[in-house]
Amino acid sequence: MLFLPTEAAEGDFDGMSVILPPFGEIFWGALVLLAILLVVGKYALPKIYSVLDERQAKIEEGLGAAERAREDRSLAARERDELLRDANAEAQKTRERAVEDAKRILADAREEARVESQRILESGQRQISAERQAAEISLRTDVGLLATELAEKIVGEQLKDTALSARVVDRFLDELEESTAQTAGGTEH
């Protein structure tokens, strides 16, 4: 409700009275405003400021945590890169050692194979030589017996002297070998 002066009730308005409200309204309005400011200032503003301070502290703490996290991430990235470089270097060394070991094993296997083949070849040559000598002895004996039997049949009597028989057989075989060698030598030329 508006408090109008008595003069206004009569229809006579002063120019300033329209703009300015009456003093009583200003006083009571100021008093209510002051009371609201005191209540807000005493109770509400400290709570608002404490909430704002807490929020600002949380924001600063969050920024600090973000900065620490960024530093930790950067440190972790550097450590990861260093570990990767170390792992790659170690892997390279391991590969090089494996290649060297493979070359060494291959060389050892080749040497063992060469030695084994040489041993087998020598063993085979010894066996062939022994078999050849055994065949020559057997052949000589067989030829000697045949020659002796032939000589006995030609001569008509049995040769009793074995030493004489052996000399005759040996001389016959030597002559046979010489004629075979001459024949083989003549065909080569």
Side-chain angles (χ1 to χ4, degrees), residues 46-90:
K47 287 184 180 182
I48 291 172
Y49 286 146
S50 68
V51 168
L52 288 176
D53 289 343
E54 287 178 19
R55 187 169 180 193
Q56 184 177 1
K58 286 182 181 179
I59 290 172
E60 288 176 1
E61 183 179 319
L63 290 173
E67 183 63 30
R68 284 191 303 275
R70 191 176 308 123
E71 290 173 1
D72 289 346
R73 186 177 63 223
S74 174
L75 178 64
R78 283 193 302 267
E79 288 177 355
R80 183 194 68 222
D81 291 343
E82 184 177 324
L83 287 173
L84 283 174
R85 278 193 305 271
D86 292 345
N88 285 336
E90 185 64 30

Side-chain angles (χ1 to χ4, degrees), residues 4-22:
L4 294 174
T6 56
E7 299 169 346
E10 297 175 359
D12 195 14
F13 288 109
D14 187 6
M16 274 312 260
S17 65
V18 174
I19 296 177
L20 286 176

Side-chain angles (χ1 to χ4, degrees), residues 16-157:
M16 274 312 260
S17 65
V18 174
I19 296 177
L20 286 176
F23 180 73
E25 281 185 32
I26 293 175
F27 174 75
W28 287 110
L31 189 63
V32 169
L33 183 62
L34 183 63
I36 291 174
L37 285 177
L38 285 176
V39 169
V40 168
K42 182 158 177 101
Y43 298 107
L45 280 179
K47 287 184 180 182
I48 291 172
Y49 286 146
S50 68
V51 168
L52 288 176
D53 289 343
E54 287 178 19
R55 187 169 180 193
Q56 184 177 1
K58 286 182 181 179
I59 290 172
E60 288 176 1
E61 183 179 319
L63 290 173
E67 183 63 30
R68 284 191 303 275
R70 191 176 308 123
E71 290 173 1
D72 289 346
R73 186 177 63 223
S74 174
L75 178 64
R78 283 193 302 267
E79 288 177 355
R80 183 194 68 222
D81 291 343
E82 184 177 324
L83 287 173
L84 283 174
R85 278 193 305 271
D86 292 345
N88 285 336
E90 185 64 30
Q92 181 63 27
K93 288 178 186 177
T94 302
R95 282 191 294 269
E96 289 172 359
R97 281 193 304 254
V99 167
E100 290 173 5
D101 289 346
K103 286 179 182 177
R104 190 186 78 252
I105 289 170
L106 187 59
D108 291 346
R110 283 182 180 158
E111 181 61 24
E112 285 181 27
R114 188 191 64 76
V115 168
E116 183 65 18
S117 67
Q118 186 67 29
R119 185 191 64 77
I120 290 171
L121 183 63
E122 289 173 359
S123 172
Q125 287 175 345
R126 283 193 303 269
Q127 186 176 0
I128 289 171
S129 176
E131 288 176 3
R132 189 168 142 234
Q133 287 177 351
E136 285 179 2
I137 290 171
S138 173
L139 185 61
R140 210 174 249 278
T141 303
D142 290 345
V143 169
L145 289 174
L146 287 173
T148 305
E149 287 177 14
L150 183 61
E152 286 176 354
K153 286 182 183 179
I154 292 176
V155 174
E157 46 181 277

